[in-house]
Amino acid sequence: MSPKKKTKKTTKKDPERRENDLEAKYRRSTLDIAILQDHIALQTESVLKVQSDRVDLRRRMRDMEQKLQHERQDHRDISSDLSRQYKTMQTELTNRVKRLEKEVSQLREEHVLCQEELRRERRQREQVEQEKNATIADLQHKLDNMERDYEKILLETVDSMSSQLCVARRGWQDKSTTLHQNYKELLSEFGLNALDI
């Protein structure tokens, strides 16, 4: 900054004042120099920081490039491995499908044979059932006949026993009456009344 020029009346300058002006100019110059030195130091520090950042960025960029290359290689390896696994799985799956188709074919054949066996077993079971039902019906008929015969025999036996019991009862009643009479007579001979006893 250039000092302002003052327009004054023409008077003689004081030597003290001149010294003060020189000191002020010196102080101002010293201050300006210090400010410029600080500014230069800041600029130098900023330049050094930028250079350091540039070196750091270059190093990081190299690291990132290496990392990217590693990742690309890993990606290629993984892609290759996945492709190999896919082909292996596809082959295994194709073999499994063929094996399962063969098993299905065998199971169908076995199913047909089982169906035929089942039909044969059903026919045999129905035949056995019919024979069993015929045997049961025949036995039931015989049982009914036997039941009628036994009932007839039982009724005849009961009738015969009833008539024999009636005859026996009459005989017992006659004997009982005779025995009663004899006892009454014996009791009366002893002078006892049968009704008192």
Side-chain angles (χ1 to χ4, degrees):
M1 264 186 171
S2 59
K4 292 181 181 176
K5 293 181 181 178
K6 296 182 181 179
T7 54
K8 291 188 179 179
K9 292 179 184 175
T10 52
T11 53
K12 267 195 170 179
K13 290 188 179 176
D14 209 357
E16 261 180 45
R17 201 168 175 181
R18 219 182 289 166
E19 255 181 54
N20 284 341
D21 285 346
L22 278 175
E23 279 181 21
K25 283 183 185 178
Y26 177 74
R27 278 198 301 269
R28 193 177 301 138
S29 296
T30 306
L31 186 62
D32 286 345
I33 289 169
I35 289 170
L36 284 173
Q37 283 176 342
D38 286 347
H39 185 66
I40 289 170
L42 283 172
Q43 288 292 327
T44 305
E45 187 179 324
S46 177
V47 166
L48 288 173
K49 187 174 184 323
V50 166
Q51 286 176 346
S52 171
D53 288 348
R54 187 177 65 187
V55 168
D56 189 43
L57 282 172
R58 281 183 181 166
R59 182 183 52 74
R60 284 174 59 193
M61 195 169 82
R62 277 195 308 272
D63 291 345
M64 292 296 282
E65 284 176 352
Q66 287 178 357
K67 189 176 178 183
L68 182 64
Q69 279 209 306
H70 286 309
E71 286 182 0
R72 282 180 180 161
Q73 185 61 41
D74 289 346
H75 178 72
R76 282 194 293 271
D77 293 344
I78 290 170
S79 177
S80 171
D81 188 49
L82 287 174
S83 176
R84 182 186 55 74
Q85 287 181 10
Y86 173 76
K87 287 177 183 174
T88 304
M89 286 173 63
Q90 191 176 26
T91 305
E92 288 175 356
L93 190 60
T94 304
N95 291 337
R96 188 174 175 199
V97 166
K98 287 179 182 175
R99 190 176 68 249
L100 288 173
E101 284 175 349
K102 188 176 178 182
E103 285 180 16
V104 166
S105 175
Q106 289 175 350
L107 288 172
R108 282 186 178 147
E109 290 174 8
E110 288 177 12
H111 178 70
V112 169
L113 292 174
C114 286
Q115 289 290 339
E116 290 175 4
E117 183 69 25
L118 181 63
R119 281 192 289 272
R120 190 165 48 253
E121 289 289 331
R122 280 184 182 159
R123 283 194 300 269
Q124 287 177 358
R125 192 185 71 203
E126 287 170 1
Q127 186 178 354
V128 168
E129 190 76 23
Q130 288 171 358
E131 290 173 0
K132 183 181 80 172
N133 288 339
T135 304
I136 289 171
D138 185 42
L139 290 172
Q140 187 65 44
H141 180 65
K142 288 179 180 176
L143 188 62
D144 291 342
N145 288 338
M146 286 173 66
E147 189 177 329
R148 278 194 300 274
D149 291 343
Y150 284 132
E151 188 177 352
K152 186 178 177 184
I153 291 168
L154 186 61
L155 287 173
E156 288 173 358
T157 305
V158 168
D159 288 344
S160 171
M161 287 177 69
S162 289
S163 62
Q164 287 176 8
L165 282 172
C166 282
V167 170
R169 185 177 176 191
R170 272 189 241 115
W172 292 337
Q173 283 176 348
D174 292 341
K175 282 182 183 179
S176 169
T177 305
T178 306
L179 280 173
H180 258 72
Q181 193 60 36
N182 289 339
Y183 284 130
K184 275 184 186 179
E185 288 172 5
L186 278 172
L187 287 171
S188 62
E189 283 177 12
F190 289 114
L192 297 171
N193 190 358
L195 295 175
D196 292 336
I197 296 176

